[in-house]
Amino acid sequence: MTEQTSQIATVPDSDYVIFGGTGDLALRKIFPAFFWRFLDGQVTENFRLIIAAHHIVSRDDFAEKLRPNCEDAFTSGVANDDNFAAFIGLMNIIELDVVSGKGADNLAGLINEKISADRPCIYYLAVAPSLFGASCQLLQQADLVHPQSRLIVEKPLGHDGPSAKLINNEILSVFTEEQIYRIDHYLGKETVQNLMALRFANIIFESLWSNNHIDHVQITAAETVGVGQRAEYYDKYGAVRDMLQNHLLQLLCLVAMEPPSQFNASQVRDEKLRVLRALRPANSEDIVRGQYQGYEAELGRTSNTDTFVALKVFVDNWRWAGVPFYIRTGKKMAVRASEIIITFKRRPHDIFSTIGQSQKGDAPNRLVIRVQPQEGLRLQLTSKEPGPGGMRFFPSELNLSFGETFDQRLPDAYERLLMDTARGNQTLFMRLDEVLAAWQFIDPIIDMAKDTAPHLYREGTMGPADTLLAKAGRDWIDPSEDG
Ligand code: BG6
């Protein structure tokens, strides 16, 4: 166990059933996250991790596949063969075909062994959305849905508003909204939660946080990877549905929302919903879609799908009137970095111009919220160079690096989100009305894109959207590799 065990909130003993438990998401994200929670003592030997898979594998084979994805725990010295074996011991692997229902009896037998009102039983559908309905029906028919049952679903929740409604109706015919946990893993990221701390646990920014003092906001989520093995999936979605509809809009909501009166699921989500509903419908001139060169070769056919999207958007309310939010995301870009940058307005009057020293002090103040990697906050200021020579200015920074300040590993988003489901805390999950409001904003963008080809961009660049800001005399502020 790590030294941080004492800081770890307890989680009730629970059963998790992972549908698609041998798939890519499960092996890359879900089980490594459980392993860290196990190492930290939050997941105990009283938990059960039930892997429901179409093709059954042995525990040894599963362990062998999982282990490389847990390598960071081994290299940091926290994991060893013994605790990994103990972790694997929490697992039951069963064959389940949600379409034919084969294996449902086994699942029911296992769950009923430990069923109790105070033991959450969490079904995680790490399968294609086309199987959500059948999975929920199977659970209902096997009498496995009780008040203590919860359901986790992942995006994509549909490919547009109407299909999102259909999928949600299917799951809502079996589970109540209070039992459904829709993951947007960006909300589980440490810095994203820190954005709420920055805004609502401090007073200094609130009076500056509006069109009175903010010139514009930039949100960038840049990746260096391409679509790789996921080309077939990705080609049906593209950057607009894969990143903008969810992760980027959620970041925008957290920047723009009003302070909720309590930090709880309904109030936080009410405030985010208000932002989504205040988004001004995007204008075709304010959207740039791109595709990296070589994407079609990877896919093996021609395609109109975007691997990059940038747009300018306004939040039409009193606080944000007239403040553009520039958002961009893309694959095969120059750096892997996600950042939110708040650029403040220039000072109203320059008292130093009369002594001819203002030029270097001309940069606006900026608050840079570095979501990943090298998570942290930087406040860019203008300072006086030390020593004689009058008022010589230089751009300086107040720099809070979370990695350096807190000498501990930052948990992966999935760790937090998985534990929140057992605790019954929906604050960091998307409510249905939020999902639908996001689609309402996105659907017209997809419609506009239908007949236009994306701009090609070279791998290792920051995408083809410079003109979007240049029109307003602004520039993108590119994140650096090292934060
Ligand atoms: C996923 C998208 O939701 O988020 C992927 O489907 C993307 O295409 C990923 O690569 C990015 O997540 P992260 O945590 O690496 O920024």
Side-chain angles (χ1 to χ4, degrees), residues 155 185-186 189 223 230 242-243 247 331 336 372:
K155 70 174 230 324
H185 78 280
Y186 265 57
K189 288 184 189 281
E223 296 182 275
R230 296 166 77 219
D242 185 53
M243 293 288 289
H247 307 324
K331 302 221 180 269
R336 173 179 179 257
Q372 65 184 21

Side-chain angles (χ1 to χ4, degrees), residues 20 48-49 81 111 124 126 136 188 205 272 279 332 349 355 375 399 404 412 420 425 439 444:
R48 289 189 304 170
L49 304 177
D81 289 347
I111 290 175
Y124 192 143
C136 292
F205 291 112
K272 286 195 290 158
L279 293 179
K332 290 225 175 176
H349 168 67
I355 56 169
E375 294 80 351
N399 194 339
E404 284 166 23
D412 182 76
D420 276 0
N425 183 351
W439 278 120

Side-chain angles (χ1 to χ4, degrees), residues 2-10 37 40 42 408 423:
T2 63
E3 306 144 27
Q4 289 126 40
T5 305
S6 59
Q7 299 169 17
I8 304 269
T10 55
R37 292 299 88 218
D40 273 346
Q42 210 169 23
Q408 65 186 59
R423 278 195 289 252

